[in-house]
Amino acid sequence: MVRCLIVDDCPHFLAAARCLLEREGVEVVGAASTGAQAAERVEELRPDVVLLDVELGAENGVELAERLCRDATAGPPSIILISACSETDYSAMAAASSAIGFLCKSRLSAAAIRALLDGG
């Protein structure tokens, strides 16, 4: 089972994403709404994958992805950047980052996460 941490500053999205993913067989081990919380949860929970909002309030999700990968003491988690915007808006940015891919929030699913984790 895939262990997932969701990082987003919208409480409604956090709740909806957790419900959807758990219903589809993903174990959501935690959630965070700031970069500091995300860093703590990654170290504490050691998720297989982190779903990370590109626009995390005043924080830049891409920069946070780099920091999470750089600072992880037990090896970096796989990071998938997410946004309400379309893939065309962020695909180049995601490709240049440490993230394994990008998902539009409207296309979020366990299958989409597993496909990215499997390299596709």
Side-chain angles (χ1 to χ4, degrees):
M1 181 177 283
V2 175
R3 300 178 71 250
C4 176
L5 172 69
I6 306 170
V7 183
D8 196 288
D9 59 338
C10 176
H12 298 293
F13 176 77
L14 287 172
R18 176 186 289 269
C19 183
L20 169 77
L21 294 175
E22 287 179 343
R23 188 173 58 236
E24 294 183 353
V26 172
E27 181 183 2
V28 178
V29 296
S33 57
T34 67
Q37 289 175 352
E40 289 174 12
R41 302 284 187 313
V42 165
E43 287 302 311
E44 171 191 345
L45 302 170
R46 302 189 193 280
D48 300 316
V49 64
V50 175
L51 300 179
L52 177 56
D53 192 8
V54 172
E55 296 177 12
L56 191 61
E59 297 179 82
N60 180 309
V62 176
E63 291 174 5
L64 178 57
E66 301 307 311
R67 193 170 81 227
L68 292 175
C69 287
R70 182 186 66 237
D71 296 346
T73 59
S78 294
I79 296 176
I80 297 173
L81 296 172
I82 60 173
S83 176
C85 297
S86 72
E87 186 173 349
T88 56
D89 294 334
Y90 290 111
S91 59
M93 186 186 318
S97 74
S98 296
I100 63 168
F102 174 86
L103 283 175
C104 181
K105 289 179 180 181
S106 65
R107 296 179 181 249
L108 182 62
S109 70
I113 292 169
R114 288 187 183 101
L116 287 171
L117 288 171
D118 290 340

